[in-house]
Amino acid sequence: MTALSIVNLVYRWPRQQAVCLDIPRFDIAAGEHVFLHGPSGGGKSTLLGLLGGVAVPERGSIELLGSDITRLSGHSRDRFRADHIGFIFQQFNLLPWLSALDNVLLPCTFSARRLARAGTAHEAATRLLTHLDLAADAWHKPAGELSVGQQQRVAAARALIGRPEILIADEPTSALDAPRQQIFIDLLLAEAKAEGAALLFVSHDERLAAHFDRKIALCDINRAGTVEP
Ligand code: ADP
Ligand code: MG
């Protein structure tokens, strides 16, 4: 089973003439850890938005776990994302007034499947936070009061809870210094491996690619050259 299979994908932002993405073919195997890099403005986040079903391509198919999400209704795409994809955003998108622990538990409130796969959700959340090295005294603090490094760990635990088959991370380390970035990536890779999840990790900094199964440049799969001068 492939985690992701893109065929002849074309995407153009509304009211833009230039095509942003033109990807004839891109696959990720189940459980594979892929590092995708490329310059700022190249379309990396746009691609991730399409994978998350936030936008729909002009042409082509996006198969995730064997389902073509471009053929689903908006509601079904939202359902699919909640059930099968763990997202880590660049700005983390934590709810600042909720505790670290409650942020991690959120996917289990949106998805019965994630809740069932988490087992005892509270135990799963504390186990993930422990594995990701978040000190227990931070678990009950509002997320908005945590350091950037702590918020990043909460965001990773939230993506991992309930064992989604696909993890997508959009430049989640750009706010940290290099040694801390590598530590975080190694923790994330270890957890993804333990859960058997495919990981698509996006960064503009290809020095971080060392411990992934595969490294690719967006420009190698994307025929549209949208990088601004
Ligand atoms: P990256 O994540 O690689 O830095 P993005 O996917 O954010 O690149 O952006 C790729 C291109 O898509 C940008 O050059 C920009 O022109 C266009 N773009 C991004 N977001 C929007 C938007 N909300 N509306 C219109 N165009 C956008
Ligand atoms: Mg981006």
Side-chain angles (χ1 to χ4, degrees):
M1 162 92 82
T2 53
L4 162 74
S5 180
I6 285 175
V7 180
N8 293 332
L9 174 102
V10 174
Y11 182 75
R12 191 191 314 258
W13 280 98
R15 293 177 301 282
Q16 301 254 323
Q17 278 200 331
V19 167
C20 177
L21 295 171
D22 176 0
I23 302 178
R25 183 94 221 187
F26 177 47
D27 297 286
I28 297 179
E32 189 182 19
H33 300 159
V34 174
F35 185 92
L36 178 69
H37 64 97
S40 190
K44 302 184 298 298
S45 296
T46 302
L47 174 60
L48 300 190
L50 292 168
L51 300 182
V54 184
V56 181
E58 201 169 292
R59 283 208 299 277
S61 61
I62 301 173
E63 268 191 21
L64 299 177
L65 309 167
S67 297
D68 184 353
I69 60 162
T70 67
R71 292 171 178 274
L72 300 178
S73 68
H75 174 77
S76 301
R77 280 200 312 276
D78 291 345
R79 186 77 270 137
F80 190 94
R81 179 175 59 242
D83 285 346
H84 301 286
I85 306 181
F87 256 101
I88 309 174
F89 299 95
Q90 186 163 12
Q91 308 299 335
F92 312 134
N93 298 8
L94 301 176
L95 298 185
W97 62 90
L98 283 187
S99 72
L101 207 51
D102 285 340
N103 268 282
V104 175
L105 288 167
L106 275 178
C108 295
T109 66
F110 292 125
S111 166
R113 185 174 191 273
R114 297 272 291 268
L115 178 60
R117 283 165 70 89
T120 309
H122 189 271
E123 268 174 34
T126 57
R127 185 184 54 78
L128 281 166
L129 288 174
T130 304
H131 285 189
L132 289 162
D133 253 348
L134 187 78
D137 62 4
W139 293 356
H140 298 284
K141 283 190 189 160
E145 291 177 16
L146 302 177
S147 72
V148 171
Q150 289 175 321
Q151 290 187 34
Q152 185 184 45
R153 281 143 206 259
V154 174
R158 184 178 64 177
L160 285 156
I161 198 163
R163 298 191 292 117
E165 294 93 333
I166 300 172
L167 295 168
I168 293 178
D170 193 358
E171 312 225 21
T173 60
S174 46
L176 299 183
D177 53 58
R180 283 172 160 278
Q181 288 182 2
Q182 194 57 59
I183 290 167
F184 173 76
I185 288 174
D186 289 341
L187 287 170
L188 181 63
L189 284 169
E191 276 311 300
K193 188 165 186 194
E195 309 286 7
L199 170 62
L200 178 58
F201 187 102
V202 164
S203 176
H204 62 273
D205 184 358
E206 57 179 304
R207 289 172 306 177
L208 300 170
H211 301 152
F212 287 77
D213 298 325
R214 186 154 58 105
K215 166 177 118 170
I216 43 175
L218 181 58
C219 63
D220 288 343
I221 56 168
N222 183 24
R223 291 193 300 204
T226 53
V227 180
E228 283 159 17

